[in-house]
Amino acid sequence: SMEPLFFTGTLLENLIFGVAPDDPDGRKERVVAICQRLGLPDNIQNLVDTDDREWIHVLTQTQRYLLSICRALVANYEVCCMHKPSLVFDELDSETILQVLRDFVTYKGIEQDASTSYLRRPRTCIVTVEKTVGVDLADRIFCVVNVADGIKEISSRDITPELVRAWYHQSWFTNR
């Protein structure tokens, strides 16, 4: 299932899950800034600052997906793997999400003090895609169609909607 998982607790507690208690990565201001970058509306961002434990009931499905992505970015992992992070979004929102992930890699984390970026370790974000939007943001693109063909590096200019559909259908059938 691709259903984002959350636990009983406040929205902030869910978004900083896995972040050490005194780690600046878990600052409320940073969490809200990441929510803003991902395009979450103000009413959802405002829930970060409440003790409301029923917040999950006011979210749309796409807002749940965005909050799940937000949680990964807040945790600031050095290696982040996301399976089809833009699957349920339109092209504009998909582009926004993928640009935020690109910035996460470029700046070694997002919404952090720029003057300390040289102190941070590099970031890597591995994503699977189901559409061509945002592919040009990737440093490297690998095509994995089936085990017999192996893994091939390809250029973003070689990616077409037809090729992505073939990947999607091929991976669907070979994973059964």
Side-chain angles (χ1 to χ4, degrees):
S1 168
M2 293 198 46
E3 178 68 28
L5 299 175
F6 297 100
F7 60 87
T8 302
T10 69
L11 179 55
L12 182 62
E13 290 168 343
N14 272 270
L15 294 178
I16 63 172
F17 180 77
V19 177
D22 294 332
D23 190 330
D25 285 343
R27 286 180 299 107
K28 190 183 308 184
E29 299 79 19
R30 180 172 179 266
V31 172
V32 171
I34 293 172
C35 287
Q36 289 171 342
R37 297 264 313 258
L38 289 169
L40 281 154
D42 290 344
N43 65 316
I44 303 303
Q45 293 175 40
N46 293 339
L47 290 172
V48 172
D49 203 23
T50 70
D51 291 330
D52 184 358
R53 294 181 178 278
E54 300 297 318
W55 56 270
I56 192 87
H57 302 296
V58 300
L59 300 177
T60 66
Q61 191 65 27
T62 54
Q63 290 167 344
R64 291 177 190 203
Y65 286 117
L66 284 174
L67 287 171
S68 185
I69 293 168
C70 179
R71 179 173 40 204
L73 295 171
V74 167
N76 200 21
Y77 299 115
E78 291 178 15
V79 177
C80 185
C81 298
M82 294 189 182
H83 181 57
K84 300 179 182 178
S86 61
L87 179 67
V88 299
F89 299 98
D90 62 24
E91 287 201 12
L92 181 61
D93 290 337
S94 294
E95 186 78 31
T96 297
I97 291 164
L98 295 171
Q99 183 61 59
V100 170
L101 294 176
R102 169 78 256 167
D103 291 348
F104 171 76
V105 171
T106 300
Y107 302 110
K108 302 177 187 176
I110 58 171
E111 297 302 327
Q112 297 185 338
D113 183 356
S115 69
T116 63
S117 69
Y118 72 97
L119 298 171
R120 294 192 292 270
R121 294 173 54 86
R123 300 293 183 265
T124 299
C125 191
I126 301 166
V127 299
T128 57
V129 297
E130 69 293 329
K131 44 191 158 185
T132 59
V133 65
V135 168
D136 57 317
L137 297 170
D139 291 321
R140 298 175 79 179
I141 302 167
F142 294 93
C143 175
V144 182
V145 176
N146 61 50
V147 176
D149 290 340
I151 299 172
K152 298 176 185 173
E153 186 168 4
I154 60 175
S155 166
S156 63
R157 66 180 170 275
D158 296 332
I159 297 177
T160 63
E162 294 77 24
L163 181 61
V164 172
R165 274 194 298 278
W167 289 342
Y168 178 76
H169 292 297
Q170 182 68 33
S171 66
W172 176 261
F173 293 127
T174 59
N175 286 333
R176 286 189 166 252

